[in-house]
C-alpha cells in the first residue's frame, strides 16, 4: 500500500493521457506526467526525477505484473540490504507463455567477491551457451541512488539497448545484488511493437548503444571479460 505510481504520458495520441488523469483522480498514490514524445529513456527519466521513493521499478505500458511483484522484490532487497533485486519474466505471445531462466544461481552477490560471477555471466554464460543476466529494467527493483547514477546518464538518442546500458552499469557497481528465481513480470511480445519494427536508422542507433556500453566496460577492472562478451 505504501507505493507511488508515476504514469508518464510520452506524447500519446490515443487517449492514454486522459485515462491516466482519470486514474489519478481516483487514487492519491497515482501521479501523471504529460510531455511531448521523446522516447522511453526520456519518459523514464521524467518519472525517475519526479519520484520520491527509496526503491524504483519500471513497467512498460503494454505489459503486466503479478500482484505481489514489488512486495516480494522489496522484501528481498530489505532482507539482503541489497542495492537491487533481479527477478525473471514470463514472455507472453498470443495465448502462449514461457518463463525465462535467471542466468546465475539464486542468491546474494557482493561486489568484488561473489559478484565476480555476475561479471563473468553478465551478457552470456561463461561457456557462451546461453544468455546471461536479463538486461531489462522492468523485472528488477533498484535503490534510487544507484539507479539515478546510471539511468540519468543514458544517452537519450539511444533507441535500441537503452535498458542494457543502465542495467549492466548498475549490476557492475552495486555493492550487493540479490538474484531471485521468481517470475513476476509479464512481457507481451507482439507484432508492431517498437523493438520489433524495421528501422532504416537501426545501425546508427545501435552504434550509439555500443559505444556507451563499451566505454563503461573499459573502465571496469574486469574489462577483458566484459569486452569479450
Amino acid at each position: 500500500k505504501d507505493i507511488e505510481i508515476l504514469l508518464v504520458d510520452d506524447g500519446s495520441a490515443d487517449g492514454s493521457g486522459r485515462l491516466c488523469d482519470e486514474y489519478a483522480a481516483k487514487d492519491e498514490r497515482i501521479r501523471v506526467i504529460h510531455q511531448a514524445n521523446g522516447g522511453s529513456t526520456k519518459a523514464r527519466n521524467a518519472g525517475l526525477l519526479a519520484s520520491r521513493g527509496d526503491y524504483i521499478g519500471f513497467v512498460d505500458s503494454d505489459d503486466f505484473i503479478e500482484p505481489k511483484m514489488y512486495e516480494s522484490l522489496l522484501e528481498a532487497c530489505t532482507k539482503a540490504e541489497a542495492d537491487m533485486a533481479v527477478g525473471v519474466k514470463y514472455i507472453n505471445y498470443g495465448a502462449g507463455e514461457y518463463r525465462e531462466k535467471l542466468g546465475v544461481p539464486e542468491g546474494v552477490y557482493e561486489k568484488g567477491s561473489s559478484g565476480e560471477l555476475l561479471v563473468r555471466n553478465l551478457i552470456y554464460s561463461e561457456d557462451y551457451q546461453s544468455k546471461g543476466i536479463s538486461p531489462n529494467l522492468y523485472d528488477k527493483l533498484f535503490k534510487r541512488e544507484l539507479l539515478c547514477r546510471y539511468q540519468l546518464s543514458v544517452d537519450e538518442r539511444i533507441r535500441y539497448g537503452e535498458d542494457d546500458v543502465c542495467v549492466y552499469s548498475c549490476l557492475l557497481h552495486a555493492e550487493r545484488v540479490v538474484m531471485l528465481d521468481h517470475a513476476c513480470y509479464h512481457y507481451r511480445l507482439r507484432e508492431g511493437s517498437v523493438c520489433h519494427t524495421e528501422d532504416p536508422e537501426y545501425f546508427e542507433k545501435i552504434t550509439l548503444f555500443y559505444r556507451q556500453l563499451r566505454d563503461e566496460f573499459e573502465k571496469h577492472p574486469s574489462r577483458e571479460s566484459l569486452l569479450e562478451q
Side-chain angles (χ1 to χ4, degrees):
K1 295 180 180 179
D2 183 15
I3 190 172
E4 63 175 358
I5 301 169
L6 293 155
L7 304 178
V8 183
D9 167 26
D10 188 47
S12 63
D14 61 357
S16 296
R18 176 179 52 78
L19 290 172
C20 290
D21 290 334
E22 290 177 5
Y23 275 110
K26 298 174 184 177
D27 192 328
E28 62 183 9
R29 296 173 300 175
I30 298 175
R31 287 188 287 144
V32 185
I33 299 168
H34 299 281
Q35 63 182 32
N37 180 258
S40 59
T41 297
K42 195 167 186 176
R44 287 164 175 164
N45 288 350
L48 179 55
L49 290 170
S51 66
R52 298 187 291 253
D54 296 327
Y55 288 90
I56 311 289
F58 296 93
V59 180
D60 282 358
S61 58
D62 51 355
D63 299 334
F64 64 101
I65 65 173
E66 292 291 313
K68 292 193 175 183
M69 171 176 169
Y70 286 116
E71 182 178 343
S72 59
L73 293 180
L74 179 61
E75 182 181 353
C77 272
T78 304
K79 184 178 180 180
E81 297 182 348
D83 294 322
M84 60 184 291
V86 177
V88 294
K89 65 179 176 288
Y90 294 105
I91 295 181
N92 296 83
Y93 50 100
E97 176 181 274
Y98 71 90
R99 186 183 190 275
E100 278 199 334
K101 295 181 179 179
L102 186 58
V104 295
E106 189 175 47
V108 179
Y109 294 83
E110 295 196 14
K111 185 178 180 180
S113 54
S114 56
E116 279 300 306
L117 184 64
L118 298 185
V119 174
R120 297 196 305 270
N121 291 273
L122 197 68
I123 302 178
Y124 293 103
S125 61
E126 288 186 83
D127 58 6
Y128 288 89
Q129 297 301 305
S130 61
K131 291 182 180 179
I133 300 168
S134 161
N136 305 116
L137 281 163
Y138 44 64
D139 50 8
K140 300 170 179 66
L141 188 67
F142 302 83
K143 190 169 276 187
R144 190 177 194 279
E145 293 83 357
L146 177 71
L147 184 63
C148 283
R149 193 182 315 156
Y150 297 105
Q151 173 59 28
L152 296 178
S153 66
V154 175
D155 189 331
E156 291 185 353
R157 296 174 299 166
I158 297 174
R159 296 299 174 95
Y160 294 100
E162 61 269 31
D163 285 30
D164 308 41
V165 175
C166 175
V167 169
Y168 289 147
S169 298
C170 287
L171 285 167
L172 291 174
H173 296 285
E175 293 298 324
R176 189 173 291 139
V177 177
V178 56
M179 306 293 294
L180 298 170
D181 193 15
H182 175 54
C184 47
Y185 191 93
H186 292 262
Y187 171 72
R188 293 168 114 167
L189 188 63
R190 58 187 180 84
E191 292 185 12
S193 64
V194 172
C195 59
H196 296 98
T197 304
E198 289 186 14
D199 186 345
E201 298 177 351
Y202 172 81
F203 287 105
E204 180 182 345
K205 292 175 179 178
I206 206 73
T207 300
L208 289 170
F209 153 69
Y210 168 78
R211 286 174 176 167
Q212 185 165 3
L213 195 61
R214 180 197 61 195
D215 291 347
E216 181 62 38
F217 284 178
E218 286 183 337
K219 294 182 289 186
H220 195 272
S222 300
R223 61 183 301 276
E224 291 185 11
S225 172
L226 293 168
L227 291 171
E228 183 179 358
Q229 293 178 57

